[in-house]
């Protein structure tokens, strides 16, 4: 398939934000986007990079009623010698295809989309922030667009990629966040769509998220939907607990998002010789470890959140403080290491980082 590039008229270029400290997350988008369409007779076609634009959708279309969609989140970094770097971006595209299979949507061609994504990032490279911790967020999205109200998989889809400069996901930045354990709502159950990156999982989280915010917490920590006791994940990140010298995170058993930062952290810890296990553990185990002093650190991992230390866990009316409410040494070491390799500042022993410009 041919990829057309239709650059924006210079007179229509948008102002690039100057103050990286005010970027926040996900509010600003660059001058261009990638888009292509799918139909059962033509497959994916009409691939182009063109000026950022609103989509025109039939009000009856599948995604607007039945949520048939999947998305990804990844970043391009401006680093050493003004180089532009991607981090494990093919893993995101692979995961997108896994989400597409679960949501009965056509898969994308990894090589083609990887190439289009790089061209888009380089075309809008002036939008990539210069400050450490800031990056160009890349949001691929696939939506079902059949104008039909019957419940069935769509036959027509739009795939597009948006990019925009971002700072820290949480207003706290790299400072520790507080999380609220939901024992009333659940996010996902095995056999459902919890392991797919699809809007429905985030829609399911909104009410709990709103209640957590009202109580002064940044995020919700989800427990498993059946026993309501095993730790699953946090709103926008996977989560790790350090019990004495061992780090534990929940296994990928069907209801948890298989995070790429999660996988990277596991591999980094193994390389460092820090014991790390994927196992089921309950909120009671966490609370009793906190009480005995065995709970050393808690941190979340995610593309948007990077490494996010947790200072407070709220469960059933009680606040439990972790690491004296500070950023623990392991969280800090992981954060520094990840950023150093993502920004091309230190050698990447894993071969995860690709310089594209
Ligand atoms: C990411 O970490 O990139 C995500 O997709 C989380 C998000 C929903 C903001």
């Amino acid at each position: 398939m041919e990829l057309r590039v239709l650059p924006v008229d210079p007179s229509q270029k948008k102002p690039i934000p100057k103050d990286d400290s005010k970027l926040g997350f996900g509010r600003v988008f660059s001058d261009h986007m990638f888009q292509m369409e799918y139909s059962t007779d033509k497959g994916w076609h009409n691939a182009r990079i063109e000026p950022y634009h609103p989509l025109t959708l039939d009000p009856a279309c599948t995604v607007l009623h039945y949520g048939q969609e999947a998305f990804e989140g990844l970043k391009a970094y401006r680093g050493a010698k003004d180089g532009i770097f991607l981090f494990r971006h093919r893993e995101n595209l692979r995961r997108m295809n896994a989400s597409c299979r679960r949501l009965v949507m056509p898969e994308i061609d990894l090589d083609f989309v990887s190439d289009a994504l790089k061209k888009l990032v380089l075309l809008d490279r002036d939008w990539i922030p210069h400050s450490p911790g800031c990056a160009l967020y890349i949001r691929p999205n696939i939506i079902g667009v059949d104008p039909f109200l019957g419940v069935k998989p769509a036959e027509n889809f739009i795939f597009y990629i948006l990019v925009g400069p971002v700072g820290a996901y949480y207003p706290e930045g790299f400072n520790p966040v507080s999380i609220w354990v939901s024992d009333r709502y659940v996010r996902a159950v095995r056999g459902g769509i919890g392991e797919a990156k699809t809007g429905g999982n985030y829609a399911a989280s909104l009410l709990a998220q709103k209640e957590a915010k009202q109580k002064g917490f940044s995020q919700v920590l989800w427990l498993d939907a059946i026993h309501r006791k095993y730790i699953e994940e946090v709103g926008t990140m996977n989560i790790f607990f350090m019990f004495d010298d061992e780090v534990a995170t929940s296994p990928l058993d069907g209801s948890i998002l298989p995070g790429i930062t999660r996988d990277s952290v596991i591999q980094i810890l193994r390389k460092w010789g820090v014991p790390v296990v994927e196992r089921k553990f309950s909120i009671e185990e966490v609370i009793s470890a906190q009480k005995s002093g065995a709970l050393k650190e808690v941190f979340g991992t995610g593309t948007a959140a990077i490494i996010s230390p947790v200072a407070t866990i709220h469960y059933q009316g009680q606040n439990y403080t972790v690491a004296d409410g500070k950023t623990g040494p392991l969280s800090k070491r992981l954060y520094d290491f990840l950023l150093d390799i993502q920004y091309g500042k230190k050698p990447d022993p894993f071969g995860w980082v690709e310089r594209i410009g």
Side-chain angles (χ1 to χ4, degrees):
M1 185 179 15
E2 185 206 352
L3 171 65
R4 286 177 301 137
V5 179
L6 311 159
V8 68
D9 185 295
S11 67
Q12 301 299 308
K13 283 196 167 186
K14 299 185 274 188
I16 299 177
K18 289 202 173 56
D19 185 353
D20 289 349
S21 70
K22 297 213 170 75
L23 281 175
F25 179 85
R27 293 186 190 281
V28 184
F29 301 98
S30 72
D31 285 322
H32 297 94
M33 62 191 276
F34 169 81
Q35 188 171 329
M36 62 182 177
E37 280 83 37
Y38 178 94
S39 60
T40 21
D41 53 332
K42 292 195 197 151
W44 287 114
H45 60 278
N46 195 17
R48 71 267 180 204
I49 292 173
E50 58 187 355
Y52 189 95
H53 58 269
L55 298 177
T56 303
L57 296 176
D58 192 293
C61 82
T62 328
V63 64
L64 298 181
H65 298 266
Y66 307 126
Q68 194 184 17
E69 76 96 40
F71 71 94
E72 269 304 322
L74 60 156
K75 284 175 175 169
Y77 308 85
R78 183 189 296 281
K81 303 195 181 89
D82 209 32
I84 309 301
F85 299 88
L86 293 177
F87 180 75
R88 304 189 77 184
H89 76 284
R90 293 178 74 90
E91 292 304 317
N92 288 89
L93 300 180
R94 271 189 207 106
R95 186 173 66 181
M96 180 147 214
N97 276 344
S99 301
C100 284
R101 290 193 289 277
R102 179 64 181 84
L103 275 294
V104 201
M105 303 197 289
E107 294 183 37
I108 49 168
D109 182 286
L110 242 62
D111 291 331
F112 183 83
V113 172
S114 159
D115 181 58
L117 183 153
K118 290 176 190 171
K119 290 203 166 91
L120 173 63
V121 168
L122 292 178
L123 184 63
D124 280 343
R125 67 181 291 156
D126 291 350
W127 287 81
I128 308 178
H130 289 77
S131 309
C134 298
L136 190 77
Y137 190 72
I138 306 169
R139 171 54 65 90
N141 200 16
I142 298 186
I143 57 176
V145 294
D146 285 10
F148 172 58
L149 292 183
V151 180
K152 76 173 194 47
E155 291 172 6
N156 297 278
F157 296 86
I158 298 176
F159 172 78
Y160 58 90
I161 307 177
L162 310 176
V163 301
V166 296
Y169 184 78
Y170 297 116
E172 291 89 338
F174 179 60
N175 295 317
V177 296
S178 54
I179 54 178
W180 179 71
V181 183
S182 170
D183 54 2
R184 174 151 184 225
Y185 307 109
V186 295
R187 173 186 173 273
V189 67
R190 213 183 312 165
I193 54 171
E195 64 185 348
K197 199 154 178 76
T198 182
N201 289 321
Y202 297 83
S205 75
L206 295 177
L207 181 56
Q209 174 67 23
K210 180 178 162 199
E211 291 184 12
K213 273 258 150 67
Q214 280 166 348
K215 295 185 171 79
F217 298 91
S218 308
Q219 286 280 315
V220 177
L221 172 59
W222 299 104
L223 300 179
D224 79 282
I226 293 170
H227 307 93
R228 307 274 175 113
K229 66 180 210 184
Y230 296 109
I231 305 291
E232 296 237 308
E233 64 179 87
V234 175
T236 59
M237 47 192 197
N238 297 112
I239 187 144
F240 289 72
F241 291 74
M242 187 173 185
F243 298 110
D244 289 319
D245 294 333
E246 184 178 78
V247 179
T249 193
S250 319
L252 301 177
D253 60 4
S255 54
I256 294 176
L257 188 81
I260 290 151
T261 314
R262 172 191 182 280
D263 177 71
S264 307
V265 162
I266 292 173
Q267 292 195 48
I268 294 166
L269 292 176
R270 289 205 175 118
K271 194 167 190 79
W272 287 349
V274 176
V276 53
V277 286
E278 294 172 79
R279 68 167 173 92
K280 271 174 143 25
F281 53 97
S282 66
I283 183 69
E284 283 82 24
E285 181 178 342
V286 169
I287 304 297
S288 74
Q290 191 271 353
K291 288 183 178 157
S292 73
L295 184 65
K296 303 298 184 208
E297 288 187 43
V298 180
F299 55 89
T301 63
T303 299
I306 318 176
I307 300 289
S308 186
V310 174
T312 311
I313 300 174
H314 183 94
Y315 181 56
Q316 296 186 336
Q318 289 285 324
N319 277 341
Y320 299 91
T321 304
V322 185
D324 295 329
K326 302 198 183 85
T327 297
L330 188 66
S331 312
K332 175 85 177 92
R333 189 177 169 206
L334 282 165
Y335 179 84
D336 289 343
F337 179 80
L338 261 179
L339 260 64
D340 280 346
I341 63 169
Q342 287 172 337
Y343 287 81
K345 290 194 179 137
K346 294 243 171 90
D348 158 23
F350 297 95
W352 288 336
V353 176
E354 185 183 350
R355 181 168 181 171
I356 62 163

